[in-house]
């Protein structure tokens, strides 16, 4: 394999993204592979893939989107459906009990109207207040249905902002259910109708607050569902990124503007619900029977005004229209002024029957509507300031990635050479995508998004292994590739064979397992062949000739084009090449070793003779040293959301040891060099690896598509690593392997 040193392949190890559990590549066969995450490698092609991406996206639908969701996302969707059903049943019982209570009050009012008069009133009774409660019960049911919509939309679109909005909305509805209980409890009390009349009702046998058991059930169920939703929301928050971000490339400024755009669109949804709910409540509570004309006008006109404002709000931003935005801001200003006036009127009105004892509830909804309107106004202004700065053009062209790299022309180099043939992989960018991290926080949906992001940015090399997530990683990759409909010649796939299960014939490099493992991998990937197949580790129990012959058989059968190794010693590689040469067979052409600033001996010293002698290509892993080189452990503390905080890794950090402390000291010193070059520590570490001419591809981390652009920026750092800068780094590291001298 002979790729330009700026070529790169990246695979998500958790050293670049905290909070995701994954097996260490350094583990041997005795390591824990039961919870390891799936992994995708990829290498960039310099050409863009707009047409194929558009074709892939056009075939999507809601059902397919739901079926492809992570298990946590599906569970969250099921939760909100169950919540809706349970709360609808409970609230229906509340309404039934309330109507029964209202009928009893009406019966009492027909025979003893004086009993229900408000204190110090001669004509106003509590009947209108009881009738008003039914309005809020109906609004509560509508709110639950609206929350299902918000939750589903947030999950399907992988929107963090809408996920937060749904959580806040759920909390508000829980508070509203508590207010409903308080309001019902205060409907018929001695304070409302006087102690004497209250005593009459007791003598009469009237059942006070008969809705209480069902309202308590609503509160308890609402609290339980809210807590469970928060649990899922927390998990999903770590999975989600802005779904459209995955299609905008690496332009950070465009992504910031898109954040405002996304928040704006989310606020419009909330505006519609709160404005319409407010109008309905206000009309039914304030306008009496004598105001039928005014009531009709408000019921008809208000929704029309809201819809018109919504359309103006939408087209003002999507078309970047200054005129429409002006109309919108004027309309929102008028709406805000009206809502403020209503709040003042609610609490200063002298007529006790105008709001039918619903001051608190109506105030709550009015304030929520006011907050939504003010937020929309503020975000609308921010979006207005972004007019003409490229957001809409980026959205229109979102299938064509926005490249920010300096190189303008594709550079194609032979990726793997052997027997006069080569697989081509163009060298320009670098990154790596997660396939599936089962037991952690990355699922198939995120893997699919990252896979698509990589391909849309020209990445054409994806690697997997039978051991990753016990084969589920290959299944996820196969599903995604089939869904996107990519042309087979447009991408390179590799897999690795060694660990497939616990059975005696499900591990190692026997001829039986190499052949069966490769065929099983092809079935999981839904492919006729892989381009590359790796021996994931050396097998001391299988003769080298058997291994070489088996991999050549795989090649001869058309199941793979080339074979390579991972973490083999130089002696083992030399032995394999010697046997292959003697038998007239193909030897291993690529190796996947660990290599970073702190792990250099094998790569720089042991393998040194092999690069020229056998043309050995390399795909290095752990360039960030399990995250140490990102600087996030510099304080000596392990962040709660980091990889080292996860089960299986808690005792592996070793920061308290002299060696661990020395590493952290070196990372702190490297920070000054990164600052001087205008990059992050992670980008410096990646660029340092790429600078080595014997590094063909780099494996590094990204558990969400938005991180790809950050890793890509390591490419622009590579040319900045001059001899002087590299010398400064060597002084800090002080660990350069001593190369054996040739005394001839």
């Amino acid at each position: 394999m002979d790729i330009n040193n700026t070529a790169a392949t990246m695979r998500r190890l958790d050293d670049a993204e905290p909070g995701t559990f994954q097996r260490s590549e350094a583990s041997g066969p005795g390591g824990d592979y039961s919870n390891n995450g799936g992994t995708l490698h990829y290498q960039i092609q310099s050409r863009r893939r707009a047409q194929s991406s558009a074709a892939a996206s056009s075939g999507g639908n809601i059902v397919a989107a739901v079926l492809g969701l992570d298990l946590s996302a599906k569970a969250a969707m099921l939760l909100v459906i169950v919540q809706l059903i349970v709360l609808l049943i409970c609230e229906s019982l509340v309404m039934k009990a309330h109507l029964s209570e209202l009928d009893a009050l009406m019966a009492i009012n027909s025979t003893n109207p004086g009993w229900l008069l408000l204190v110090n009133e001669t004509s106003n009774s509590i009947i209108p207040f009881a009738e008003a409660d039914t309005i809020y019960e109906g609004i509560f049911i509508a709110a639950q249905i609206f929350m299902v919509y918000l939750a589903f939309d947030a999950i399907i679109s992988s929107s963090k902002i809408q996920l937060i909005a749904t959580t806040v909305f759920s909390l508000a509805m829980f508070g509203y259910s508590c207010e409903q209980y308080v309001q019902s409890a205060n409907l018929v009390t001695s304070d409302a109708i006087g102690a004497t009349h209250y005593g009459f009702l007791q003598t009469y046998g009237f059942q006070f607050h008969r809705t209480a058991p069902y309202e308590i059930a609503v509160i308890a169920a609402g609290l339980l569902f809210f807590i469970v939703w928060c649990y899922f929301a927390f998990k999903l928050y770590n999975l989600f990124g802005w779904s459209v971000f995955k299609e905008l490339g690496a332009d950070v400024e465009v992504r910031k503007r898109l954040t405002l755009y996304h928040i704006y669109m989310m606020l419009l949804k909330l505006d519609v619900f709160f404005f319409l709910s407010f109008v309905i409540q206000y009309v039914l509570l304030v306008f009496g029977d004598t105001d039928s004309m005014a009531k009709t006008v408000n019921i008809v006109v208000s929704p029309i005004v809201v819809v018109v404002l919504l359309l103006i709000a939408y087209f003002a931003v999507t078309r970047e229209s200054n005129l429409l935005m002006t109309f919108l801001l004027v309309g929102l200003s008028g709406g805000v002024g009206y809502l403020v006036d209503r709040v003042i009127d609610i609490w200063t009105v002298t007529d006790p029957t105008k709001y039918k004892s619903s001051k608190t509830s109506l105030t709550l909804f009015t304030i929520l509507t006011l907050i939504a309107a003010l937020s929309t106004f503020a975000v609308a202004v921010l979006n207005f300031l972004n007019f003409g700065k490229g957001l809409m053009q980026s959205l229109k062209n979102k299938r064509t990635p926005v490249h920010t790299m300096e190189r303008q022309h594709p550079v194609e180099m032979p990726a793997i050479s052997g027997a006069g043939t080569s697989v081509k992989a163009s060298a320009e960018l670098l990154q790596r995508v997660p396939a599936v991290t089962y037991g952690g926080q990355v699922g198939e949906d995120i893997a699919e998004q990252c896979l698509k992001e990589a391909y849309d940015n020209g990445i054409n090399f994806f690697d997997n292994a039978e051991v990753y997530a016990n084969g589920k990683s290959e299944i996820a990759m196969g599903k995604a590739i089939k869904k996107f409909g990519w042309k087979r010649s447009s991408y390179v796939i590799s897999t690795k064979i060694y660990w497939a299960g616990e059975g005696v014939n499900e591990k190692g490099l026997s001829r039986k397992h190499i052949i069966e493992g490769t065929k099983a991998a092809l079935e999981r990937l839904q492919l006729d062949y892989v381009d590359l197949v790796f021996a994931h580790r050396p097998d001391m129990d299988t003769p080298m000739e058997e291994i070489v012959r088996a991999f050549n058989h795989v090649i001869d059968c058309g199941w793979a084009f080339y074979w390579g190794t991972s973490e083999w010693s130089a002696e083992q590689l030399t032995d394999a090449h010697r046997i292959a040469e003697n038998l007239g067979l193909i030897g291993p052409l690529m190796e996947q070793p660990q290599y970073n600033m702190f792990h250099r001996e094998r790569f720089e010293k042991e393998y040194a003779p092999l690069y020229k002698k056998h043309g050995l290509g390399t795909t290095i892993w752990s360039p960030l040293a399990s995250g140490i080189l990102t600087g996030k452990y510099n304080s000596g503390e392990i962040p709660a959301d980091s990889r080292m905080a996860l089960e299986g890794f808690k005792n592996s950090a070793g920061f308290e040891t002299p060696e661990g402390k020395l590493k952290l000291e070196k990372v702190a010193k490297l920070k000054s060099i990164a600052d001087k070059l205008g990059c992050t520590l992670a980008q410096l570490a990646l660029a340092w690896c790429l600078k080595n001419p014997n590094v063909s591809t780099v494996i590094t981390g990204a558990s969400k598509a938005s991180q790809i652009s950050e890793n890509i920026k390591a490419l622009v750092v590579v040319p900045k690593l001059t001899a002087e800068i590299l010398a400064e780094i060597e002084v800090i590291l002080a660990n350069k392997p001593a190369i054996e001298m040739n005394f001839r």
Side-chain angles (χ1 to χ4, degrees):
M1 185 190 291
D2 181 19
I3 302 183
N4 182 286
N5 71 304
T6 56
T9 298
M10 300 218 151
R11 182 182 65 198
R12 191 183 66 74
L13 296 171
D14 291 12
D15 51 12
E17 172 62 13
T20 310
F21 179 72
Q22 182 167 350
R23 172 187 56 82
S24 168
E25 285 281 359
S27 301
D32 180 9
Y33 291 90
S34 59
N35 292 322
N36 64 296
T39 308
L40 304 179
H41 299 255
Y42 56 88
Q43 185 169 350
I44 304 281
Q45 285 184 329
S46 56
R47 65 179 181 275
R48 298 177 178 179
R49 305 188 182 279
Q51 62 274 19
S52 60
S53 174
S57 63
S58 63
N61 55 59
I62 295 178
V63 175
V66 172
L67 292 177
L69 290 173
D70 177 79
L71 182 60
S72 296
K74 292 176 182 176
M77 296 177 77
L78 179 61
L79 172 71
V80 295
I81 292 175
V82 173
Q83 175 180 340
L84 176 64
I85 294 172
V86 171
L87 291 181
L88 281 180
I89 293 173
C90 292
E91 193 64 22
S92 297
L93 293 174
V94 171
M95 294 184 73
K96 182 179 179 181
H98 178 71
L99 291 174
S100 173
E101 185 175 20
L102 182 60
D103 289 342
L105 290 173
M106 295 292 287
I108 294 172
N109 191 57
S110 64
T111 56
N112 300 286
W115 290 6
L116 301 180
L117 290 176
L118 295 172
V119 174
N120 301 323
E121 292 288 332
T122 58
S123 60
N124 296 320
S125 73
I126 63 172
I127 296 297
F129 305 118
E131 293 174 336
D133 282 353
T134 59
I135 299 172
Y136 290 101
E137 291 158 1
I139 293 294
F140 181 80
I141 291 176
Q144 294 305 317
I145 297 173
F146 182 69
M147 182 189 161
V148 172
Y149 162 72
L150 282 181
F152 272 52
D153 195 28
I155 293 171
I156 292 175
S157 62
S158 299
S159 169
K160 286 185 176 181
I161 289 296
Q162 193 154 312
L163 191 68
I164 295 173
T166 304
T167 305
V168 174
F169 186 85
S170 177
L171 178 61
M173 290 305 100
F174 169 71
Y176 189 68
S177 65
C178 295
E179 170 58 27
Q180 184 183 63
Y181 175 86
V182 174
Q183 190 163 283
S184 297
N186 293 331
L187 179 63
V188 185
T189 62
S190 59
D191 291 336
I193 61 176
T196 302
H197 292 162
Y198 187 79
F200 290 160
L201 292 179
Q202 287 178 315
T203 303
Y204 183 82
F206 178 77
Q207 183 182 350
F208 297 94
H209 198 190
R210 61 189 70 186
T211 59
Y214 309 114
E215 289 170 339
I216 292 174
V218 170
I219 293 173
L223 179 60
L224 176 62
F225 283 120
F226 175 71
I227 293 173
V228 178
W229 168 259
C230 287
Y231 166 76
F232 282 114
F234 177 77
K235 293 191 69 175
L236 293 174
Y237 185 87
N238 291 298
L239 292 175
F240 288 174
W242 300 90
S243 57
V244 73
F245 274 12
K246 315 299 187 290
E247 301 162 349
L248 285 183
D251 193 327
V252 176
E253 291 305 315
V254 171
R255 294 186 176 197
K256 289 179 180 178
R257 292 192 282 274
L258 182 63
T259 301
L260 289 173
Y261 174 81
H262 192 100
I263 294 174
Y264 178 76
M265 290 302 176
M266 180 271 297
L267 286 172
L268 293 184
K269 300 171 188 176
L270 296 177
D271 286 339
V272 171
F273 174 79
F274 283 116
F275 268 106
L276 291 180
S277 298
F278 168 78
V279 168
I280 292 171
Q281 293 177 74
Y282 192 79
V283 168
L284 294 178
L285 289 171
V286 175
F287 294 99
D289 295 334
T290 58
D291 303 314
S292 58
M293 179 57 70
K295 180 184 293 188
T296 301
V297 170
N298 275 274
I299 290 176
V300 172
V301 173
S302 297
I304 294 177
V305 172
V306 171
V307 171
V308 169
L309 272 178
L310 177 66
L311 291 174
I312 291 175
Y314 176 78
F315 287 112
V317 172
T318 56
R319 296 189 178 183
E320 296 190 339
S321 170
N322 294 334
L323 179 62
L324 290 178
M325 182 57 75
T326 302
F327 282 138
L328 172 64
L329 296 179
V330 171
L332 284 174
S333 299
V336 168
Y338 175 76
L339 291 169
V340 171
D341 180 69
R342 290 305 88 202
V343 172
I344 295 173
D345 186 64
I346 289 170
W347 289 98
T348 59
V349 68
T350 56
D351 182 0
T353 63
K354 184 174 182 180
Y355 295 106
K356 300 181 176 67
S357 80
S358 302
K359 286 185 176 183
T360 305
S361 297
L362 189 56
T363 300
L364 174 63
F365 249 96
T366 306
I367 290 178
L368 288 174
T369 307
L370 182 60
I371 292 173
L374 287 171
S375 300
T376 304
F377 185 93
V379 178
V381 171
L382 294 175
N383 276 279
F384 177 63
L385 296 176
N386 284 327
F387 281 6
K389 294 185 178 180
L391 175 60
M392 289 303 109
Q393 186 62 37
S394 296
L395 288 174
K396 290 176 183 178
N397 301 326
K398 63 185 180 181
R399 301 303 179 185
T400 302
V402 182
H403 292 281
T404 58
M405 296 299 101
E406 294 176 348
R407 184 176 299 177
Q408 300 298 320
H409 303 290
V411 178
E412 292 202 348
M413 301 293 288
I416 301 167
S417 59
T421 62
S422 66
V423 170
K424 296 284 186 176
S426 55
E428 183 176 359
L429 310 181
L430 53 92
Q431 186 52 33
R432 169 264 177 171
V433 188
V436 183
T437 304
Y438 292 94
Q441 295 175 317
V442 174
E444 288 188 23
D445 55 338
I446 300 300
E448 193 173 281
Q449 292 166 5
C450 291
L451 189 65
K452 187 175 183 300
E453 167 78 353
Y455 189 87
D456 287 350
N457 280 280
I459 298 165
N460 78 330
F461 182 17
F462 302 87
D463 176 78
N464 222 305
E466 62 178 356
V467 70
Y468 296 153
N470 298 320
K472 293 178 182 177
S473 173
E474 291 173 318
I475 293 173
M477 182 188 286
K479 282 182 184 177
I481 291 174
K482 186 173 182 179
K483 175 181 177 181
F484 296 143
W486 295 337
K487 188 177 179 181
R488 184 61 183 91
S489 60
S490 67
Y491 58 89
V492 175
I493 293 287
S494 67
T495 192
K496 295 190 285 294
I497 305 297
Y498 196 98
W499 297 282
E502 296 300 322
V504 65
N505 292 317
E506 294 179 325
K507 63 184 70 172
L509 297 177
S510 67
R511 180 181 179 91
K512 177 180 176 63
H513 181 57
I514 289 173
I515 293 173
E516 291 179 345
T518 303
K519 293 173 69 175
L522 293 177
E523 184 176 347
R524 289 189 292 267
L525 288 164
Q526 303 182 59
L527 296 174
D528 295 326
Y529 64 89
V530 292
D531 300 273
L532 318 172
V533 60
F534 287 84
H536 208 161
R537 289 295 185 271
D539 185 353
M540 307 303 180
D541 297 327
T542 303
M544 186 63 73
E545 181 176 335
E546 180 178 344
I547 296 172
V548 173
R549 286 185 180 275
F551 277 114
N552 275 261
H553 176 77
V554 167
I555 293 172
D556 292 340
C557 289
W559 300 332
F561 296 146
Y562 308 99
W563 76 282
T565 60
S566 179
E567 290 297 339
W568 281 29
S569 67
E571 181 182 359
Q572 290 162 337
L573 287 167
T574 300
D575 190 25
H577 276 285
R578 177 184 57 79
I579 291 174
E581 184 177 352
N582 290 340
L583 297 174
L585 300 176
I586 300 172
L589 300 178
M590 57 278 182
E591 162 61 31
Q592 190 179 113
Q594 181 180 180
Y595 181 56
N596 56 59
M597 288 179 170
F598 296 141
H599 193 98
R600 306 173 61 178
E601 189 77 15
R602 167 168 282 183
F603 190 90
E604 295 184 13
K605 183 176 181 179
E606 183 180 339
Y607 287 167
L610 305 180
Y611 298 129
K612 179 180 290 187
K613 182 177 181 180
H614 298 298
L616 184 67
T618 59
T619 301
I620 67 157
W621 59 271
S622 196
L624 301 180
S626 298
I628 297 176
L629 289 168
T630 65
K632 63 185 176 183
Y633 300 118
N634 278 7
S635 65
E637 300 293 328
I638 299 178
D641 59 350
S642 70
R643 178 186 182 215
M644 292 299 182
L646 297 172
E647 292 297 332
F649 294 98
K650 289 183 177 179
N651 298 321
S652 63
F655 297 141
E656 71 284 353
T657 65
E659 182 182 0
K661 292 178 180 178
L662 180 60
K663 287 181 179 179
L664 295 180
E665 290 175 5
K666 291 180 179 180
V667 173
K669 294 177 181 178
L670 289 170
K671 182 66 167 59
S672 61
I673 297 180
D675 291 341
K676 180 165 60 176
L677 298 178
C679 65
T680 65
L681 273 169
Q683 290 163 358
L684 175 63
L686 297 177
W688 181 86
C689 291
L690 285 171
K691 193 70 174 178
N692 189 321
N694 294 316
V695 171
S696 306
T697 55
V698 172
I699 304 169
T700 191
S703 62
K704 51 187 176 183
S706 59
Q707 292 177 320
I708 291 176
S709 60
E710 291 305 309
N711 287 329
I712 284 173
K713 293 175 184 176
L715 278 178
V716 300
V717 181
V718 176
K720 299 178 182 179
L721 296 182
T722 62
E724 292 76 13
I725 294 294
L726 290 174
E728 289 184 46
I729 294 175
E730 288 296 351
V731 170
I732 294 173
L733 296 178
N735 62 357
K736 186 176 180 64
I739 305 300
E740 294 180 1
M741 300 294 294
N742 185 350
F743 294 100
R744 289 181 61 86

